[in-house]
Structures are given as structure tokens and as C-alpha cells.
Amino acid sequence: MGYSVAAGATGRLLFGYDSFGNVCGKKNSPVEGAPLSGQDMTQKKHVFFMNSCNLEVKDVRLSSTVLCVSSCPEEQLDTLEEVQLFANTSGSFLCVYNLNSFNYTQIPNADLLCPRLPVPPSKSFPLFNRCIPQTPECYSLFASVLINDVDSLHRILSGIMSGRDTVLGLCILAFALSLAMMFTFRFITTLLVHIFIALIVLGLLFVCSVLWWLYYDYTNDLSIELDTERENMKCLLGFAIVSTVITAVLLILIYVLRKRIKLTVELLQVTNKAISSSPFLLFQPLWTFAILIFFWVLWVAVLLSLGTAGAAQVVEGGQVEYKPLSGIRYMWWYHLIGLIWTSEFILACQQMAVAGTVVTCYFNRNKSDPPDRPILSSLSILFCYHQGTVVKGSFLITVVRIPRAVLMYVYNTLKEKQDGALSRCVSQCCCCCFWCLDKCLRHLNQNAYTTTAINGTDFCTSAKDALKLLSKNSSHFTSVNCFGDFIIFLGKVLVVCFTVFGGLMAFNYHRVLQVWAVPLLLVAFFAYLVAHSFLSVFETVLDALFLCFAVDLETNDGSSEKPYFMDQEFLNFVKRINKLNTRAQRNKNSLTSEEGTELRPL
């Protein structure tokens, strides 16, 4: 981070720069060997191309000279006299800096130092603050060269920066929706669960319909000429296919598990009772959200610096170009790993703190006298003793996600080449396997954190003990616990659905010169992280209660000498689950015996 900030120049990306190394809208330092560098461009905030209708890229350089001007010419200028008049009236000089406006029509070689005539009318656009020509023939040539020949990293960064207000608004929307979902789960009832599932179904169907409609609108738009539009169309197709598959899977799961709703509501009410013993648990996501926001802002700032890191080099004519530093562009992969690992570490710290609080309250004999400040006690134990455990757990998730990202990149590359069907199939299968491994590791990590809070052991020992306990006591209410986790996961899906829908509607209005697929993905990822940080409180409490219950059964038998730590309500709920499981097993056995009688040979 320090190296990218020192070597990068985010201002070049945000404000644009001229052919002489000056950043528009800024006071610049001189570059040795470039006499027109180091100028004060505070009043000149727009980037103007002297030959905007005939742009060419030669050796990764634009053939046209670029200047910083105070305003873009909004009317066509056909002669040097009109260029001179525009300079005198508006104070915007369209010729090279060392040529005075008085000499525009006096010296013989002025046409080489001034823009090519006629100068088309242009308008400033937020993307790089460039003066974009407005005549159709110039616009298509200008955009096809300038936008399509800019590398992918700069297109992505410009999409993020030009839509930064929208991204910020969508993050606030995700925060508000996550708060609403958290309070919904806090006061949950059977009717509320049915309404909630109905909203999920409608939201998923609605988002799928909007994605397919937008893709149809793009395919029928005959004006698609830019790489940005084509990339947005491809990403829309990918979003539509993925959302359709996810919708189909979730609808099937909701239909199959619909009979478990009543028991799930009871389980969530038991969870809420555990939370009521330490109500400040609900405020834990706030500091997690604040830390995530701070980290994400820092991460984006470093990403911008990475995209502009380069050394100034003087070329012919006293012009300046920036050569990317050796290897700096590949550091964004390392930066991406830092994003995943640090985000997972922050979320894992919250899980560890919540699990420690639940363990402290559960293993308290006197339920009428809860322990003092269990959350602060859990946080102090976490930061003093168990940070290594959290680092290991979050690193495991990161290690699984890196091969997934590489395989997805390989799959997309093979897909673009239109060959290697077997290789694409193998890479997709590997991605699915890594996804399943990721989910299993997350569940294992959560149980390892809870076991660490109970026994104070290290990560590997805790994970091994948790697996033994869960395999021994998995018959009690695993299915109801899984459906409870599924309902909480649906809450996260609802937050992401509404956030993505808002992003689609907002970004679709700037489809031409903005790659909004990556900002939308970042917003969706951030919305899921925020929803996960808020709703994982219930998920963590639920899993921690189950593990505490398993430890309770392992060490106590309910007698007067070894009474259970669980309260009576929790015990009654476990008994009802056991009765239902016993009845279901009895029905299954009777059905098996009947079938066996019918098929027995005479």
C-alpha cells in the first residue's frame, strides 16, 4: 500500500492529464527535459484532443496532442480566427501552451500547433473529464479508439469513479436493508416468516425478469459499438443466467423444506432468548460495518494508486508519457488476496466475539444472575489469546477462494476462444467443488471458534474436537438447525437482490461510457458482506447454542449431581425435536418392513 501510494498518481486517472505531464485542475511539478511541464492548471480542468476526429494509437500512445483547457468548445470552429476568438472570449486556449493567442493567425506554422480544423463541437463528460466531440461521425471514431484502447484496469477504475455516488448510495441502501432484516429476525413469528419467504420469491423472480429484459434491450440496441457496451451486455447475460439458476435452486429448496417452518420459528425464538440475555450483541455488526467501510475505502484508494503507478519519461517534442513500473500492474492480484483475507478476518473476529459471549452466558449456572459485560470479556480474550485462531480460519477461506478465482478466469478465457469444451467442463466442475469446500470450511470455522471459546484450545485442536462432538450428536436437531441457517441465508439473499436491483436501475442510465458490471459486482459483494455481518449474529448464536448443547450432553446427564446448563425452554424444545425424529424413524422402519414382506420370495 505504501509503495503504490508513493509511486502512483490517482489524480491522473481522476482528472486527466495532457501530453506534457500536467494533471488538469492541479498545480504540477516540472519534469526534467519537458519545458511545457510543471504548469499551474488549477483553472484548466478539461482534457482537449487537438485531433479528436482522427485519433490513432501508435505504440500504445495516442497520435493526437492533448491539452488542458478551461472549457470545451460547444460550437464548431472552422478557421483559426474562430479559434482565436474563442480563446479571447472564453479564456480557453486550444493551441499549444507556448503559442500566444495573438499569434494564432500570425505565424505560418500555427496550423501545426493548433487543433485540426474544423474543430467539432464537444462536451465535457465525467469520464476522465474529457472533451467528447458531439458530431456523430467524430463521436463514433473518438469513442471506439479512446474507450476501446484504454486497458481493462483503467476502464474498470473509471467505471468505479464515475459511478462513485451511485456506489455509495447502494452501500447505504444495503446497510439500511440489513438493519431492517436484523430487527425482523429479532421479533420473528410464523406469519412474518411466511411474508418474508413470499418477498424472497417475488424479489428473486423480479430481479431475474429485469436482468433478462435489460439483456434483451441491449441486444436490440443497434448503436452498440463500444467495448464498454459489449462488456456490459456480456456481464448482463452472465448475471441473468446465474440469477436464474440461483432462483430455481432456492425455490426448490423452499418448497422441499416448507414443512419445517414452524419448528424453525421456535428455534429462532430460542435464539432470540439467548440474545436477550446480552442484547448488545445486536450492535456488534455496527463496529464490524464501520471497520469494513474504512478498510474498503482504503482498499479502493490503493487500487487507484496501483492503476496509475508509472514513471514519467520525456519523448520527442518535449512530450511526457508514463511507463508502468515493472510488475506493478500484477500487484493487484496480491491486493485482491488482501481484500478477501482481511474482510474474512474482520468477519471472523465478530464471529469469535459473539461465540465467546454465547458460551459465557450458556455455561452460567445462575440464569437469573447473568455475567457482567460478557461482550467486553469475549473481546479482550479474543485480542489477547485467540487472534492466531481467527487468522488461520480466515486464511483457509482465502486459500479456497484463490483457486476458484483462477479457475473462473481460465473458464472465461476458454469460453472466449470458442474451443476446449472438455476443459471448460472440468474447470466448472472444479469451481463447484471449491464452492462446496468453501461452505464446509465456513461451517467448520464457526464451530472451531466456538470450541476455542469453550476450551481455550488452538484452531486445529478445536476443529477436531468440534467435528467429533457434531458427529456424535448430529441426530438431535441438525435438520432444523440447517433450515434455520437457510432462512438466515435467505435474508442475506433478499438484501443482495434489492441492492442489485437498485444498482441495475441506477447504472443502466450511464451505459455508454461506463463499465458498470464490475462496480455492480463490488456493490453486490459489499451488500452480501454487510448483510452477512448483521445476520450472522443469529447464525453464530444458533450454531454456538447447538455446539454448547452438544458439550452439555457430553459432560452432564441431567441428574442432580450433573445437571444440564441449558434452561427448561431449550430442553423442552430438544425433547419435541427428538419425538419428531423418533416418529419419523419409526414410520420409515415400518415402511421398509412392509416393502420387504411384499418382495420376499416364496
Side-chain angles (χ1 to χ4, degrees):
M1 179 188 69
Y3 180 69
S4 65
V5 171
T10 312
R12 292 206 309 271
L13 178 66
L14 299 182
F15 307 108
Y17 60 98
D18 64 11
S19 299
F20 308 102
N22 301 299
V23 177
C24 300
K26 297 286 183 181
K27 192 172 182 179
N28 298 276
S29 301
V31 177
E32 187 177 353
L36 295 180
S37 64
Q39 300 197 31
D40 187 0
M41 299 293 180
T42 309
Q43 303 300 323
K44 300 178 179 180
K45 300 181 179 180
H46 304 282
V47 182
F48 176 74
F49 294 83
M50 293 177 62
N51 193 8
S52 58
C53 290
N54 295 281
L55 283 182
E56 293 181 5
V57 177
K58 296 179 180 179
D59 299 328
V60 203
R61 286 184 58 214
L62 287 173
S63 58
S64 173
T65 303
V66 185
L67 301 175
C68 293
V69 296
S70 57
S71 62
C72 302
E74 297 182 358
E75 296 181 358
Q76 181 166 306
L77 307 177
D78 296 309
T79 63
L80 286 177
E81 287 77 10
E82 292 182 5
V83 174
Q84 186 182 45
L85 180 62
F86 176 75
N88 293 330
T89 55
S90 66
S92 184
F93 303 96
L94 305 183
C95 297
V96 178
Y97 304 134
N98 56 0
L99 181 63
N100 193 286
S101 62
F102 177 76
N103 295 324
Y104 284 4
T105 57
Q106 301 296 325
I107 61 175
N109 62 340
D111 55 335
L112 301 176
L113 303 176
C114 291
R116 183 170 180 176
L117 300 175
V119 179
S122 57
K123 187 178 180 181
S124 178
F125 192 78
L127 183 64
F128 295 117
N129 291 325
R130 288 188 170 117
C131 293
I132 298 178
Q134 297 301 295
T135 54
E137 61 277 4
C138 283
Y139 172 79
S140 59
L141 291 171
F142 175 88
S144 62
V145 172
L146 186 63
I147 304 301
N148 294 347
D149 285 299
V150 174
D151 60 77
S152 299
L153 180 60
H154 277 76
R155 283 210 299 271
I156 291 169
L157 294 178
S158 64
I160 294 173
M161 293 311 301
S162 58
R164 57 188 180 274
D165 295 334
T166 305
V167 170
L168 181 60
L170 291 172
C171 291
I172 294 173
L173 175 64
F175 175 74
L177 289 173
S178 301
L179 272 178
M181 289 305 306
M182 186 178 70
F183 285 107
T184 300
F185 279 108
R186 180 67 181 89
F187 305 101
I188 200 160
T189 60
T190 306
L191 176 62
L192 204 57
V193 168
H194 282 93
I195 295 173
F196 167 70
I197 291 178
L199 282 175
I200 284 285
V201 173
L202 291 175
L204 287 170
L205 293 175
F206 189 63
V207 168
C208 283
S209 304
V210 169
L211 283 169
W212 284 112
W213 173 75
L214 285 175
Y215 176 71
Y216 175 78
D217 186 46
Y218 263 90
T219 54
N220 289 292
D221 188 357
L222 299 178
S223 65
I224 292 181
E225 297 179 353
L226 306 182
D227 280 353
T228 52
E229 292 179 299
R230 287 192 285 268
E231 286 178 14
N232 289 336
M233 188 173 69
K234 289 180 183 178
C235 292
L236 265 179
L237 178 61
F239 286 157
I241 293 173
V242 170
S243 64
T244 304
V245 172
I246 291 174
T247 300
V249 171
L250 289 179
L251 290 180
I252 293 171
L253 287 175
I254 289 172
Y255 178 78
V256 170
L257 300 172
R258 68 191 185 280
K259 295 181 180 179
R260 294 278 182 175
I261 289 178
K262 187 176 179 181
L263 287 174
T264 303
V265 171
E266 292 184 29
L267 180 62
L268 290 174
Q269 287 173 347
V270 170
T271 304
N272 283 322
K273 186 176 180 182
I275 292 176
S276 63
S277 63
S278 183
F280 285 103
L281 275 179
L282 293 178
F283 294 98
Q284 289 305 298
L286 292 177
W287 64 261
T288 307
F289 178 78
I291 295 175
L292 276 176
I293 285 286
F294 173 77
F295 169 66
W296 268 60
V297 169
L298 184 65
W299 187 85
V300 170
V302 175
L303 181 65
L304 293 176
S305 298
L306 279 176
T308 57
Q313 291 187 357
V314 180
V315 294
E316 66 273 10
Q319 296 189 4
V320 177
E321 66 177 21
Y322 290 92
K323 292 287 186 181
L325 298 177
S326 177
I328 192 72
R329 292 298 183 88
Y330 300 100
M331 286 183 67
W332 78 275
W333 284 102
Y334 174 79
H335 193 46
L336 182 64
I337 295 172
L339 170 69
I340 298 172
W341 192 359
T342 311
S343 300
E344 293 294 339
F345 173 78
I346 294 168
L347 293 173
C349 284
Q350 175 184 293
Q351 292 177 342
M352 189 76 180
V354 173
T357 305
V358 173
V359 167
T360 303
C361 295
Y362 184 93
F363 291 104
N364 177 38
R365 287 291 183 191
N366 189 1
K367 300 297 181 183
S368 59
D369 184 22
D372 294 333
R373 296 183 290 277
I375 298 176
L376 290 178
S377 174
S378 177
L379 285 173
S380 64
I381 292 174
L382 164 65
F383 289 117
C384 291
Y385 302 106
H386 298 317
Q387 287 215 42
T389 299
V390 178
V391 168
K392 286 179 187 175
S394 56
F395 179 69
L396 281 179
I397 302 296
T398 307
V399 167
V400 171
R401 284 196 170 189
I402 293 170
R404 277 180 63 195
V406 173
L407 286 171
M408 287 302 297
Y409 175 76
V410 171
Y411 172 77
N412 291 328
T413 304
L414 293 174
K415 190 176 179 181
E416 289 177 0
K417 293 181 179 179
Q418 301 294 330
D419 58 4
L422 179 62
S423 301
R424 293 203 305 269
C425 181
V426 170
S427 62
Q428 281 288 80
C429 292
C430 291
C431 284
C432 292
C433 292
F434 276 112
W435 182 83
C436 295
L437 180 61
D438 177 61
K439 296 301 174 187
C440 294
L441 280 177
R442 285 183 181 279
H443 189 65
L444 175 66
N445 283 355
Q446 177 56 58
N447 292 318
Y449 298 152
T450 307
T451 309
T452 298
I454 296 172
N455 298 327
T457 50
D458 63 273
F459 179 80
C460 297
T461 305
S462 299
K464 183 180 68 176
D465 293 344
L467 277 177
K468 287 182 181 178
L469 280 171
L470 292 174
S471 59
K472 192 179 295 185
N473 298 280
S474 62
S475 61
H476 287 284
F477 60 104
T478 307
S479 59
V480 181
N481 185 28
C482 290
F483 189 62
D485 289 340
F486 178 66
I487 289 290
I488 295 170
F489 172 73
L490 287 181
K492 302 173 189 176
V493 171
L494 185 64
V495 172
V496 175
C497 274
F498 279 96
T499 307
V500 168
F501 171 71
L504 284 172
M505 293 296 100
F507 284 124
N508 190 50
Y509 289 107
H510 303 287
R511 61 166 64 179
V512 179
L513 291 176
Q514 182 176 321
V515 180
W516 51 257
V518 173
L520 188 62
L521 274 177
L522 286 175
V523 166
F525 177 63
F526 182 77
Y528 182 80
L529 273 182
V530 174
H532 178 71
S533 65
F534 276 85
L535 298 183
S536 64
V537 171
F538 297 92
E539 197 173 359
T540 306
V541 171
L542 194 61
D543 294 338
L545 277 176
F546 180 45
L547 198 59
C548 291
F549 163 74
V551 172
D552 204 1
L553 286 183
E554 190 75 16
T555 55
N556 301 300
D557 53 10
S559 62
S560 56
E561 291 83 10
K562 292 184 175 181
Y564 290 128
F565 281 96
M566 71 184 85
D567 58 12
Q568 192 61 39
E569 184 179 350
F570 193 23
L571 188 59
N572 294 336
F573 175 73
V574 172
K575 288 179 180 178
R576 282 199 300 274
I577 296 298
N578 286 335
K579 284 182 182 179
L580 288 174
N581 289 338
T582 305
R583 191 182 306 163
Q585 188 66 31
R586 192 182 300 124
N587 293 336
K588 184 178 178 181
N589 292 335
S590 63
L591 183 64
T592 304
S593 63
E594 289 176 6
E595 290 176 351
T597 303
E598 290 178 0
L599 297 175
R600 185 176 300 155
L602 297 176

